[in-house]
């Protein structure tokens, strides 16, 4: 009837203008309909997806079909194949229905999240690197503090040893002067300046 044709035309317009990919297929996985967004996601021109098996686009989709029979409202993440052989990361939700002829139809609503997932991976990596940087700075600080303490103490010991060595040198010369019966006033004055 005219009403049915008008309703079908409206549904087709809605499906064609949707921002998410919409595909329908039979129980064997043969694609019956793919909207514009689905064709763009997979990189195919109009008409090239009809008749193709959905598993050529999303190889592991069948393992997610039990979700259809117990719908959770959640999309599942799947890997798809773009026409250019580039891998796609997609969120897909499936729904099962029966057409006017009593045939089971599977509808897949697809969203390409490849870019978003890549951004999330890069952000997670940046956060990990930032955490590693903070950890390295903390470790460096923990290592540097005792090293600086040790270096300061070694510097103090070195200056003390130099002072003792200088004093011993003056004592040796004082003993030699005493043994030789020479005047010791200059040496005792030098010794008082060191101590």
């Amino acid at each position: 009837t005219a009403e049915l044709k008008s309703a079908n035309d409206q549904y087709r317009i809605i499906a064609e203008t949707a921002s998410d990919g919409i595909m329908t297929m039979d129980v064997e996985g043969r694609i019956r309909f793919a909207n514009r967004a689905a064709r763009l996601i997979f990189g195919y021109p109009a008409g090239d997806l009809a008749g193709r098996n959905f598993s050529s686009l999303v190889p592991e989709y069948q393992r997610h079909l039990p979700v259809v029979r117990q719908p959770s409202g959640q999309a599942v993440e799947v890997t798809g194949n773009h026409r250019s052989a580039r891998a796609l990361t997609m969120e897909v939700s499936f729904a099962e229905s029966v057409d006017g002829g009593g045939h089971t139809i599977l509808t897949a609503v697809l969203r390409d999240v490849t870019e978003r997932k890549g951004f999330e991976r890069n952000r997670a990596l940046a956060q990990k690197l930032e955490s590693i940087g903070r950890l390295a700075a903390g470790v460096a600080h923990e290592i540097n503090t005792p090293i600086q303490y040790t270096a300061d103490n070694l510097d103090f010991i070195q200056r003390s040893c130099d002072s003792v060595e200088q004093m011993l040198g003056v004592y040796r010369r004082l003993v030699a002067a005493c043994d030789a019966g020479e005047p010791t006033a200059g040496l005792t004055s030098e010794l008082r300046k060191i101590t």
Side-chain angles (χ1 to χ4, degrees):
T1 67
E3 269 184 32
L4 185 59
K5 183 178 177 345
S6 175
N8 282 340
D9 289 344
Q10 283 181 329
Y11 289 138
R12 186 167 289 277
I13 289 169
I14 291 168
E16 278 298 328
T17 57
S19 59
D20 287 339
I22 301 172
M23 301 175 89
T24 59
M25 64 202 85
D26 61 23
V27 290
E28 285 82 32
R30 279 188 306 276
I31 298 169
R32 294 173 62 172
F33 169 79
N35 73 344
R36 180 180 178 278
R39 294 188 305 268
L40 288 173
I41 288 170
F42 292 106
Y44 286 89
D48 277 12
L49 286 176
R52 183 180 294 272
N53 198 297
F54 189 66
S55 63
S56 68
L57 303 173
V58 183
E60 296 183 6
Y61 86 95
Q62 290 180 338
R63 73 183 178 100
H64 297 289
L65 291 184
V67 174
V68 171
R69 288 161 181 82
Q70 297 172 347
S72 64
Q74 294 288 338
V76 292
E77 190 173 298
V78 296
T79 301
N81 299 320
H82 188 270
R83 184 177 183 195
S84 66
R86 172 174 54 94
L88 301 168
T89 303
M90 296 182 298
E91 290 177 347
V92 181
S93 56
F94 296 101
E96 208 173 77
S97 60
V98 178
D99 68 7
H103 300 103
T104 301
I105 300 296
L106 186 63
T107 301
V109 178
L110 310 123
R111 179 173 290 162
D112 183 358
V113 294
T114 307
E115 192 174 305
R116 186 186 83 204
K117 289 293 184 174
F119 174 75
E120 289 171 0
R121 278 191 299 273
N122 288 341
R123 186 177 65 199
L125 178 61
Q127 288 172 339
K128 282 181 186 176
L129 291 174
E130 182 183 345
S131 295
I132 290 169
R134 281 196 306 267
L135 177 64
V139 169
H141 175 74
E142 292 301 318
I143 291 172
N144 194 36
T145 299
I147 288 175
Q148 185 62 45
Y149 175 79
T150 304
D152 289 346
N153 283 320
L154 287 174
D155 183 54
F156 171 76
I157 291 169
Q158 181 64 49
R159 283 183 281 120
S160 297
C161 286
D162 290 345
S163 179
V164 168
E165 185 67 37
Q166 184 182 5
M167 194 168 41
L168 286 174
V170 174
Y171 273 122
R172 284 187 197 105
R173 289 193 338 249
L174 182 63
V175 168
C178 285
D179 286 345
E182 297 172 356
T184 60
L187 291 171
T188 54
S189 173
E190 190 178 336
L191 210 74
R192 282 193 190 97
K193 286 179 190 175
I194 294 172
T195 59

